[in-house]
Amino acid sequence: MARKLKTYQTSLGFFDLAIAAPSMKAALEAWGADSNLFHQGAAKESHDPDVIAATMAKPGVVLRRPVGTDRPFSEHAELPTDLAGGGPTKAARKSKGPKPKKPSSRPVDKAAERKAALAFEKEQKRRQLEQAKEETARQKDRERRQQAVDKAQAALDKAEQEHAKRAAVIEAEVEALEKRSQVEKARWDKEKERLEATLRRARG
């Protein structure tokens, strides 16, 4: 059975964030928060009728608006225009005042609540599917990189083995030439000694 949705609100970076979700945990997951913003006092349940209406129109979708403003929440909000200013604007000071807006006194529409809850579940499943696709793509990319590494390593290993074989053949040839050189030197020394003796005898 679909769970009743509530509207939660926080501020991250340059934006205020709001979402219609069945629980604080679901809101934190949708925001991508790595800590419990509710326990830290950085997030809360919103009772602002305008914020509730905006989030309930798109359950499970993270809505944004420039931080410290009263602009309507939307999926694609522009960055704040007063980032370089010397302090908060009047709108920002007004939005952070101690007086929260009163909860809406509109009657509860059970059908609308159920529709919103089902829409949240649909959006949550879409987001999970998108994350799964992204993870699959990352896994394939890792596998492609590993295959390229393995191929390059195999080529290097093969080249090293071929080099070792050729170096061994050359070394054997060098040793054979060295041996032939020594044999030739010994033969020449002996032949030279014989010829020099013959020459000395001829000279008397």
PDB file of all heavy atoms in Angstrom, residues 4 49-50 76 94 97 99 120 128 143 150 157 166 170 183 185 204:
ATOM      1  N   LYS A   4       1.589   7.579   2.845  1.00  0.00           N
ATOM      2  CA  LYS A   4       1.235   8.998   2.759  1.00  0.00           C
ATOM      3  C   LYS A   4       2.506   9.839   2.633  1.00  0.00           C
ATOM      4  O   LYS A   4       3.514   9.585   3.304  1.00  0.00           O
ATOM      5  CB  LYS A   4       0.455   9.411   4.010  1.00  0.00           C
ATOM      6  CG  LYS A   4       0.003  10.859   3.991  1.00  0.00           C
ATOM      7  CD  LYS A   4      -0.785  11.183   5.249  1.00  0.00           C
ATOM      8  CE  LYS A   4      -1.198  12.654   5.252  1.00  0.00           C
ATOM      9  NZ  LYS A   4      -1.965  12.999   6.474  1.00  0.00           N
ATOM     10  N   PRO A  49       1.920  25.968   2.497  1.00  0.00           N
ATOM     11  CA  PRO A  49       0.967  25.457   1.495  1.00  0.00           C
ATOM     12  C   PRO A  49       1.501  25.524   0.073  1.00  0.00           C
ATOM     13  O   PRO A  49       1.259  24.620  -0.728  1.00  0.00           O
ATOM     14  CB  PRO A  49      -0.249  26.363   1.675  1.00  0.00           C
ATOM     15  CG  PRO A  49      -0.131  26.903   3.058  1.00  0.00           C
ATOM     16  CD  PRO A  49       1.321  27.044   3.332  1.00  0.00           C
ATOM     17  N   ASP A  50       2.211  26.613  -0.243  1.00  0.00           N
ATOM     18  CA  ASP A  50       2.743  26.750  -1.606  1.00  0.00           C
ATOM     19  C   ASP A  50       3.805  25.688  -1.894  1.00  0.00           C
ATOM     20  O   ASP A  50       3.851  25.103  -2.985  1.00  0.00           O
ATOM     21  CB  ASP A  50       3.343  28.147  -1.798  1.00  0.00           C
ATOM     22  CG  ASP A  50       2.282  29.237  -1.729  1.00  0.00           C
ATOM     23  OD1 ASP A  50       1.103  28.933  -2.021  1.00  0.00           O
ATOM     24  OD2 ASP A  50       2.623  30.373  -1.377  1.00  0.00           O
ATOM     25  N   HIS A  76      14.206  23.098 -12.280  1.00  0.00           N
ATOM     26  CA  HIS A  76      15.414  23.741 -12.820  1.00  0.00           C
ATOM     27  C   HIS A  76      15.443  25.195 -12.370  1.00  0.00           C
ATOM     28  O   HIS A  76      14.940  26.088 -13.059  1.00  0.00           O
ATOM     29  CB  HIS A  76      15.448  23.653 -14.343  1.00  0.00           C
ATOM     30  CG  HIS A  76      15.257  22.260 -14.859  1.00  0.00           C
ATOM     31  ND1 HIS A  76      16.233  21.288 -14.754  1.00  0.00           N
ATOM     32  CD2 HIS A  76      14.193  21.654 -15.454  1.00  0.00           C
ATOM     33  CE1 HIS A  76      15.783  20.160 -15.277  1.00  0.00           C
ATOM     34  NE2 HIS A  76      14.548  20.351 -15.701  1.00  0.00           N
ATOM     35  N   LYS A  94      13.287  38.130   5.064  1.00  0.00           N
ATOM     36  CA  LYS A  94      11.878  37.868   5.302  1.00  0.00           C
ATOM     37  C   LYS A  94      11.591  36.381   5.355  1.00  0.00           C
ATOM     38  O   LYS A  94      10.839  35.900   6.195  1.00  0.00           O
ATOM     39  CB  LYS A  94      11.043  38.511   4.191  1.00  0.00           C
ATOM     40  CG  LYS A  94       9.539  38.307   4.371  1.00  0.00           C
ATOM     41  CD  LYS A  94       8.790  38.977   3.243  1.00  0.00           C
ATOM     42  CE  LYS A  94       7.291  38.726   3.381  1.00  0.00           C
ATOM     43  NZ  LYS A  94       6.531  39.324   2.260  1.00  0.00           N
ATOM     44  N   GLY A  97      12.459  34.626   8.685  1.00  0.00           N
ATOM     45  CA  GLY A  97      11.841  35.197   9.871  1.00  0.00           C
ATOM     46  C   GLY A  97      11.331  34.114  10.789  1.00  0.00           C
ATOM     47  O   GLY A  97      11.170  32.964  10.402  1.00  0.00           O
ATOM     48  N   LYS A  99       8.410  33.646  12.030  1.00  0.00           N
ATOM     49  CA  LYS A  99       7.003  33.288  11.910  1.00  0.00           C
ATOM     50  C   LYS A  99       6.763  32.373  10.708  1.00  0.00           C
ATOM     51  O   LYS A  99       6.767  32.829   9.573  1.00  0.00           O
ATOM     52  CB  LYS A  99       6.145  34.556  11.751  1.00  0.00           C
ATOM     53  CG  LYS A  99       6.185  35.469  12.972  1.00  0.00           C
ATOM     54  CD  LYS A  99       5.296  36.681  12.756  1.00  0.00           C
ATOM     55  CE  LYS A  99       5.340  37.614  13.973  1.00  0.00           C
ATOM     56  NZ  LYS A  99       4.486  38.801  13.751  1.00  0.00           N
ATOM     57  N   PHE A 120       5.036   9.217  -6.353  1.00  0.00           N
ATOM     58  CA  PHE A 120       6.346   9.187  -5.701  1.00  0.00           C
ATOM     59  C   PHE A 120       7.038   7.850  -5.954  1.00  0.00           C
ATOM     60  O   PHE A 120       8.221   7.788  -6.281  1.00  0.00           O
ATOM     61  CB  PHE A 120       6.202   9.419  -4.194  1.00  0.00           C
ATOM     62  CG  PHE A 120       7.485   9.191  -3.448  1.00  0.00           C
ATOM     63  CD1 PHE A 120       8.423  10.201  -3.346  1.00  0.00           C
ATOM     64  CD2 PHE A 120       7.776   7.954  -2.880  1.00  0.00           C
ATOM     65  CE1 PHE A 120       9.624   9.987  -2.680  1.00  0.00           C
ATOM     66  CE2 PHE A 120       8.972   7.740  -2.219  1.00  0.00           C
ATOM     67  CZ  PHE A 120       9.888   8.763  -2.120  1.00  0.00           C
ATOM     68  N   GLN A 128      15.803   4.904  -9.346  1.00  0.00           N
ATOM     69  CA  GLN A 128      16.591   3.696  -9.081  1.00  0.00           C
ATOM     70  C   GLN A 128      17.025   3.030 -10.383  1.00  0.00           C
ATOM     71  O   GLN A 128      18.149   2.544 -10.499  1.00  0.00           O
ATOM     72  CB  GLN A 128      15.770   2.723  -8.231  1.00  0.00           C
ATOM     73  CG  GLN A 128      15.548   3.196  -6.807  1.00  0.00           C
ATOM     74  CD  GLN A 128      14.583   2.315  -6.037  1.00  0.00           C
ATOM     75  OE1 GLN A 128      13.891   1.484  -6.617  1.00  0.00           O
ATOM     76  NE2 GLN A 128      14.520   2.504  -4.730  1.00  0.00           N
ATOM     77  N   GLU A 143      35.198  -2.564 -17.276  1.00  0.00           N
ATOM     78  CA  GLU A 143      35.569  -3.805 -17.961  1.00  0.00           C
ATOM     79  C   GLU A 143      36.344  -3.513 -19.242  1.00  0.00           C
ATOM     80  O   GLU A 143      37.313  -4.202 -19.562  1.00  0.00           O
ATOM     81  CB  GLU A 143      34.319  -4.617 -18.268  1.00  0.00           C
ATOM     82  CG  GLU A 143      33.662  -5.213 -17.031  1.00  0.00           C
ATOM     83  CD  GLU A 143      32.350  -5.910 -17.331  1.00  0.00           C
ATOM     84  OE1 GLU A 143      31.929  -5.876 -18.521  1.00  0.00           O
ATOM     85  OE2 GLU A 143      31.750  -6.490 -16.420  1.00  0.00           O
ATOM     86  N   ASP A 150      44.703  -5.441 -19.985  1.00  0.00           N
ATOM     87  CA  ASP A 150      45.126  -6.837 -20.166  1.00  0.00           C
ATOM     88  C   ASP A 150      45.764  -7.047 -21.541  1.00  0.00           C
ATOM     89  O   ASP A 150      46.770  -7.757 -21.673  1.00  0.00           O
ATOM     90  CB  ASP A 150      43.925  -7.771 -20.009  1.00  0.00           C
ATOM     91  CG  ASP A 150      43.392  -7.787 -18.578  1.00  0.00           C
ATOM     92  OD1 ASP A 150      44.117  -7.339 -17.675  1.00  0.00           O
ATOM     93  OD2 ASP A 150      42.245  -8.235 -18.379  1.00  0.00           O
ATOM     94  N   ASP A 157      54.247  -8.527 -22.494  1.00  0.00           N
ATOM     95  CA  ASP A 157      54.828  -9.817 -22.082  1.00  0.00           C
ATOM     96  C   ASP A 157      55.342 -10.597 -23.296  1.00  0.00           C
ATOM     97  O   ASP A 157      56.436 -11.187 -23.260  1.00  0.00           O
ATOM     98  CB  ASP A 157      53.775 -10.652 -21.343  1.00  0.00           C
ATOM     99  CG  ASP A 157      53.390 -10.033 -19.999  1.00  0.00           C
ATOM    100  OD1 ASP A 157      54.142  -9.168 -19.517  1.00  0.00           O
ATOM    101  OD2 ASP A 157      52.336 -10.416 -19.456  1.00  0.00           O
ATOM    102  N   ARG A 166      65.554 -13.720 -28.776  1.00  0.00           N
ATOM    103  CA  ARG A 166      66.538 -13.181 -29.728  1.00  0.00           C
ATOM    104  C   ARG A 166      67.863 -12.873 -29.030  1.00  0.00           C
ATOM    105  O   ARG A 166      68.938 -13.110 -29.587  1.00  0.00           O
ATOM    106  CB  ARG A 166      65.973 -11.920 -30.372  1.00  0.00           C
ATOM    107  CG  ARG A 166      64.780 -12.189 -31.273  1.00  0.00           C
ATOM    108  CD  ARG A 166      64.319 -10.923 -31.960  1.00  0.00           C
ATOM    109  NE  ARG A 166      63.175 -11.188 -32.838  1.00  0.00           N
ATOM    110  CZ  ARG A 166      62.618 -10.281 -33.610  1.00  0.00           C
ATOM    111  NH1 ARG A 166      63.071  -9.027 -33.608  1.00  0.00           N
ATOM    112  NH2 ARG A 166      61.592 -10.601 -34.385  1.00  0.00           N
ATOM    113  N   ILE A 170      71.553 -14.400 -29.969  1.00  0.00           N
ATOM    114  CA  ILE A 170      72.715 -13.536 -30.220  1.00  0.00           C
ATOM    115  C   ILE A 170      73.851 -13.868 -29.265  1.00  0.00           C
ATOM    116  O   ILE A 170      75.025 -13.929 -29.651  1.00  0.00           O
ATOM    117  CB  ILE A 170      72.306 -12.054 -30.085  1.00  0.00           C
ATOM    118  CG1 ILE A 170      71.336 -11.675 -31.206  1.00  0.00           C
ATOM    119  CG2 ILE A 170      73.526 -11.148 -30.107  1.00  0.00           C
ATOM    120  CD1 ILE A 170      70.722 -10.297 -31.058  1.00  0.00           C
ATOM    121  N   VAL A 183      90.168 -20.446 -31.077  1.00  0.00           N
ATOM    122  CA  VAL A 183      90.744 -21.562 -31.839  1.00  0.00           C
ATOM    123  C   VAL A 183      91.658 -21.031 -32.948  1.00  0.00           C
ATOM    124  O   VAL A 183      92.760 -21.543 -33.182  1.00  0.00           O
ATOM    125  CB  VAL A 183      89.621 -22.444 -32.432  1.00  0.00           C
ATOM    126  CG1 VAL A 183      90.202 -23.461 -33.422  1.00  0.00           C
ATOM    127  CG2 VAL A 183      88.881 -23.164 -31.310  1.00  0.00           C
ATOM    128  N   LYS A 185      93.191 -18.138 -33.053  1.00  0.00           N
ATOM    129  CA  LYS A 185      94.385 -17.521 -32.458  1.00  0.00           C
ATOM    130  C   LYS A 185      95.412 -18.593 -32.096  1.00  0.00           C
ATOM    131  O   LYS A 185      96.625 -18.428 -32.349  1.00  0.00           O
ATOM    132  CB  LYS A 185      93.986 -16.721 -31.218  1.00  0.00           C
ATOM    133  CG  LYS A 185      95.150 -15.954 -30.589  1.00  0.00           C
ATOM    134  CD  LYS A 185      94.675 -15.101 -29.435  1.00  0.00           C
ATOM    135  CE  LYS A 185      95.837 -14.262 -28.889  1.00  0.00           C
ATOM    136  NZ  LYS A 185      96.967 -15.055 -28.399  1.00  0.00           N
ATOM    137  N   GLY A 204     120.162 -18.671 -41.977  1.00  0.00           N
ATOM    138  CA  GLY A 204     121.433 -19.219 -41.487  1.00  0.00           C
ATOM    139  C   GLY A 204     121.791 -18.735 -40.140  1.00  0.00           C
ATOM    140  O   GLY A 204     122.940 -18.781 -39.739  1.00  0.00           O
TER     141      GLY A 204
END
